[in-house]
Amino acid sequence: MASSLVMAGCGEPAAEASASVDPYASESQSLDEGVANERRIIVYQTTSLQLYTVDKKGKDVLLAQRSGVPMVSPDGRQVAYAKLPDTWNAGDPVEHAELHVFDSKSGKSERLTRGHDDAEPIWTPDGRNLLFQSTRRTGMASLWKVRVGGNGLEQVTNEGLVRNAAGYIPNPVSSTEAQWAPTERRIIVYSTTSLTNGDVRVIDFDRQLDVEKSYSLGQGYSPRWTEQGTVVFSQNNGGQVTFVEVSVD
């Protein structure tokens, strides 16, 4: 059974654990009353999209027969993932998916949503909420939010709109493409495409995770924040790739 695994130290680059790895694990440390306490969560996904965790005894525990990309919480203690039907295969449309959160301390998974196509979870920087994508809930591809524990489910973008109407906000191409700003932790940047020109967008949220403003930074892909708070992204111009740096208000 082929699989992928990586461990990431808090504030340090990821270290490979095998010849072919993907970033589905996290390690972090904190101080409690002057004593260093290590917190570690390890999850990995096989090539058939089975999702496993490794418990405290080093035993592999199956979390889902099929799942989307697992997203580790900011404190490294939890993993959010979209649980797909057991018969789902890569390339199939996602018509049914439910959000789950696995907690390393309790060793249990909790279902947050059900009955729709809820996928692509994104942790908020405080680790208290998740943003996710759904189309079937309203018939419009939109971002939604839910608190860890399953309360506070609300639509965040495109409420009452039709596609391409004024105010319409396209979804990120995937949860891994969305990045929170390093200084202002209520702003995300993302692209609507991967490895080809699409819309590079910014969403500015208030403290309740409601949208204050959203706008485009231009056409491109693979945006990332810099330490200075600017955004750098790639742009394909007739086969030539250039890099664009933009200030974000």
Side-chain angles (χ1 to χ4, degrees):
M1 179 173 64
S3 63
S4 56
L5 171 65
V6 67
M7 297 189 63
C10 182
E12 298 179 359
E16 293 191 3
S18 67
S20 58
V21 297
D22 288 322
Y24 297 152
S26 173
E27 177 182 339
S28 63
Q29 292 183 340
S30 67
L31 294 179
D32 183 16
E33 298 180 355
V35 179
N37 294 319
E38 185 180 87
R39 305 192 304 268
R40 178 179 298 178
I41 190 167
I42 301 174
V43 292
Y44 66 90
Q45 194 174 37
T46 70
T47 54
S48 59
L49 303 182
Q50 291 177 310
L51 183 65
Y52 285 86
T53 185
V54 180
D55 66 15
K56 297 176 182 178
K57 297 180 180 180
K59 180 181 178 182
D60 294 344
V61 178
L62 180 67
L63 297 179
Q65 283 288 351
R66 298 288 187 273
S67 82
V69 175
M71 303 297 289
V72 179
S73 63
D75 65 4
R77 295 186 179 188
Q78 298 174 296
V79 174
Y81 59 96
K83 188 174 183 180
L84 301 163
D86 291 352
T87 57
W88 190 87
N89 293 306
D92 292 347
V94 178
E95 297 179 349
H96 301 279
E98 299 173 333
L99 289 189
H100 289 243
V101 169
F102 171 76
D103 185 275
S104 62
K105 185 175 182 180
S106 67
K108 297 179 179 179
S109 285
E110 182 177 6
R111 180 170 54 189
L112 304 188
T113 68
R114 66 179 69 194
H116 297 282
D117 59 343
D118 305 330
E120 303 291 349
I122 302 168
W123 288 95
T124 55
D126 61 10
R128 297 177 180 177
N129 298 271
L130 289 164
L131 296 173
F132 66 92
Q133 299 184 28
S134 179
T135 299
R136 291 188 63 207
R137 286 181 175 274
T138 62
M140 171 65 63
S142 307
L143 289 178
W144 290 69
K145 62 183 177 181
V146 64
R147 287 194 288 272
V148 176
N151 298 320
L153 177 65
E154 292 183 21
Q155 188 173 355
V156 176
T157 62
N158 304 329
E159 186 172 4
L161 296 180
V162 297
R163 185 176 177 84
N164 297 326
Y168 171 78
I169 301 174
N171 280 345
V173 64
S174 73
S175 57
T176 57
E177 290 289 323
Q179 298 181 26
W180 294 95
T183 52
E184 176 49 74
R185 304 296 283 173
R186 298 200 305 271
I187 303 177
I188 62 172
V189 64
Y190 64 90
S191 175
T192 58
T193 58
S194 177
L195 302 180
T196 186
N197 284 352
D199 200 11
V200 177
R201 297 195 64 88
V202 167
I203 301 179
D204 191 347
F205 298 96
D206 63 18
R207 294 186 182 277
Q208 287 72 45
L209 285 179
D210 294 323
V211 177
E212 286 195 332
K213 57 184 176 180
S214 175
Y215 51 93
S216 173
L217 296 178
Q219 293 292 298
Y221 58 95
S222 299
R224 61 177 179 84
W225 291 97
T226 67
E227 293 182 356
Q228 293 73 35
T230 60
V231 173
V232 175
F233 58 90
S234 302
Q235 194 174 73
N236 191 325
N237 296 302
Q240 182 177 2
V241 176
T242 58
F243 298 94
V244 180
E245 184 171 7
V246 182
S247 297
V248 176
D249 297 329

